[in-house]
């Protein structure tokens, strides 16, 4: 395992500067996150990223692709606005994910990640099969591009996520569907303890975030994201459990704030994780 960090890219991002900062912080890998559709259509952006990767010796372990449209990160409107669940914007969001897969291919990145939204717990809910149909389409796209499709954890319970993967594999076969495990999300959404979740879907974990958070205390709103080591993720036990299930990939630090405080928290997280890995 190595310790990396999340990097967001927009059309005006100086990616060379971003990757230089990664190396200054003592890291060699990142997950590249993009919510800007214009980037996905820019050959220049792809070339700039590849040049910065080579210049600074940074590996992009996964491309995390967002989607356009209204998004509310809570337990009520989130059900109606996030991921591929809302039927009114599913087609366009699926198209953007396809574009994201092509962009990732230009970079030579083989793991492709997104949130699919609040996947229904009930497999007989019509939206369950609708979302799976969309997921199968992007899984097939990723397979053609030589990529794995990874579900980002959070909005679904571990058993719902495992069922969804198995239902996709039943149609398309095994091989390129997995999980990007964000331990804080499982806690912040009140879905599971991440250590226990590895008992359910550990064999599918292909990526991991280094993020911490607290359980929700209100039925409407997510729990708080906090600096690593200050939340409810038991990282010593979590890292050891990752080893037991055979995970050998990177742990990518995510801190959902900006500015100097973010950098300070990232460096602290790296210090903690370096000691564990």
């Amino acid at each position: 395992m190595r310790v990396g960090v999340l990097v967001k890219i927009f059309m005006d991002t100086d990616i060379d500067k971003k990757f230089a900062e990664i190396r200054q912080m003592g890291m060699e890998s990142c997950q590249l996150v993009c919510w800007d559709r214009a980037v996905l259509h820019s050959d220049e952006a792809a070339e700039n990223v590849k040049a910065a990767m080579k210049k600074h010796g940074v590996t992009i372990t996964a491309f995390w692709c967002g989607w356009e449209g209204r998004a509310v990160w809570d337990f009520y409107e989130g059900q109606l606005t996030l991921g591929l669940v809302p039927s009114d914007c599913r087609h366009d969001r699926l198209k953007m994910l396809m574009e994201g897969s092509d962009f990732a291919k230009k970079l030579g990145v083989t793991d492709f990640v997104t949130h699919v939204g609040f996947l229904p717990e009930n497999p007989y809910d019509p939206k369950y099969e609708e979302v799976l149909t969309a997921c199968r389409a992007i899984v097939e796209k990723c397979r053609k591009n030589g990529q794995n499709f990874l579900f980002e954890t959070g909005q679904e319970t571990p058993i719902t996520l495992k069922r969804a993967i198995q239902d996709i594999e039943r149609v398309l076969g095994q091989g390129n569907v997995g999980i990007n495990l964000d331990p804080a999300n499982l806690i912040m959404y009140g879905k599971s303890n991440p250590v226990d979740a590895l008992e359910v879907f550990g064999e599918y974990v292909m990526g991991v975030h280094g993020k911490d958070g607290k359980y929700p205390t209100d039925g409407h709103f997510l729990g708080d994201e906090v600096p690593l080591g200050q939340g409810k993720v038991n990282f010593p036990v979590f890292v050891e459990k990752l080893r037991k299930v055979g995970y050998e990939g990177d742990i990518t630090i995510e801190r959902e704030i900006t500015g100097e405080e973010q950098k300070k928290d990232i460096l602290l997280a790296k210090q903690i994780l370096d000691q564990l890995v």
Side-chain angles (χ1 to χ4, degrees), residues 19 30-33 46 49-50 53 58-65 100-113 141-150 206:
F19 281 12
C30 72
Q31 288 188 3
L32 191 63
V33 180
V49 172
K50 288 193 292 183
M53 290 168 64
V58 173
T59 301
I60 300 176
T61 56
F63 185 73
W64 207 111
C65 190
S101 175
D102 286 336
F103 185 81
K105 182 180 180 181
K106 294 177 183 178
L107 306 180
V109 178
T110 56
D111 283 350
F112 181 81
V113 191
K141 175 70 171 180
C142 287
R143 185 168 292 177
K144 290 177 182 177
N145 281 340
Q147 299 162 342
N148 301 309
F149 174 73
L150 277 55
M206 297 181 183

Side-chain angles (χ1 to χ4, degrees), residues 31-257:
Q31 288 188 3
L32 191 63
V33 180
C34 181
W35 289 82
D36 186 347
R37 197 168 195 170
V39 171
L40 307 181
H41 294 277
S42 173
D43 289 336
E44 182 181 1
E47 290 302 318
N48 288 341
V49 172
K50 288 193 292 183
M53 290 168 64
K54 183 177 180 179
K55 177 180 177 181
H56 298 288
V58 173
T59 301
I60 300 176
T61 56
F63 185 73
W64 207 111
C65 190
W67 20 260
E68 292 181 327
R70 186 167 175 263
V72 182
W73 304 91
D74 67 11
F75 295 132
Y76 270 66
E77 292 190 76
Q79 301 274 353
L80 305 175
T81 63
L82 298 182
L84 297 173
V85 175
S87 56
D88 59 338
C89 54
R90 186 183 302 131
H91 176 78
D92 193 54
R93 287 180 174 181
L94 181 59
K95 184 178 179 182
M96 182 170 171
L97 292 174
M98 299 284 193
E99 295 163 357
S101 175
D102 286 336
F103 185 81
K105 182 180 180 181
K106 294 177 183 178
L107 306 180
V109 178
T110 56
D111 283 350
F112 181 81
V113 191
T114 197
H115 271 302
V116 303
F118 283 88
L119 192 63
E121 181 83 9
N122 180 2
Y124 295 104
D125 185 320
K127 279 193 176 293
Y128 177 77
E129 188 56 39
E130 290 174 12
V131 175
L132 279 201
T133 298
C135 287
R136 290 187 186 108
I138 189 61
V139 167
E140 287 187 293
K141 175 70 171 180
C142 287
R143 185 168 292 177
K144 290 177 182 177
N145 281 340
Q147 299 162 342
N148 301 309
F149 174 73
L150 277 55
F151 288 84
E152 171 95 357
T153 56
Q155 290 132 18
E156 60 287 297
T157 61
I159 194 60
T160 298
L161 181 50
K162 185 164 188 174
R163 180 193 301 127
I165 293 173
Q166 291 175 329
D167 287 345
I168 291 170
E169 290 179 333
R170 191 180 67 250
V171 176
L172 300 180
Q174 295 179 330
N176 74 314
V177 188
I179 292 170
N180 190 68
L181 172 54
D182 187 315
N185 281 354
L186 288 174
I187 286 174
M188 291 161 61
Y189 281 87
K191 297 298 184 180
S192 176
N193 180 296
V195 175
D196 296 334
L198 284 166
E199 295 279 352
V200 178
F201 57 42
E203 71 270 29
Y204 286 105
V205 175
M206 297 181 183
V208 174
H209 279 173
K211 188 172 82 175
D212 211 345
K214 296 182 178 180
Y215 286 105
T217 58
D218 185 297
H220 292 73
F221 304 107
L222 275 59
D224 294 331
E225 189 237 355
V226 296
L228 194 144
Q230 297 182 24
K232 292 295 184 178
V233 180
N234 188 334
F235 274 97
V237 177
F238 178 63
V239 171
E240 184 59 30
K241 189 69 173 183
L242 285 171
R243 288 196 180 96
K244 287 182 179 179
V245 300
Y247 181 74
E248 297 179 343
D250 290 11
I251 299 179
T252 304
I253 297 168
E254 180 179 14
R255 182 68 173 109
E256 295 182 340
I257 59 174

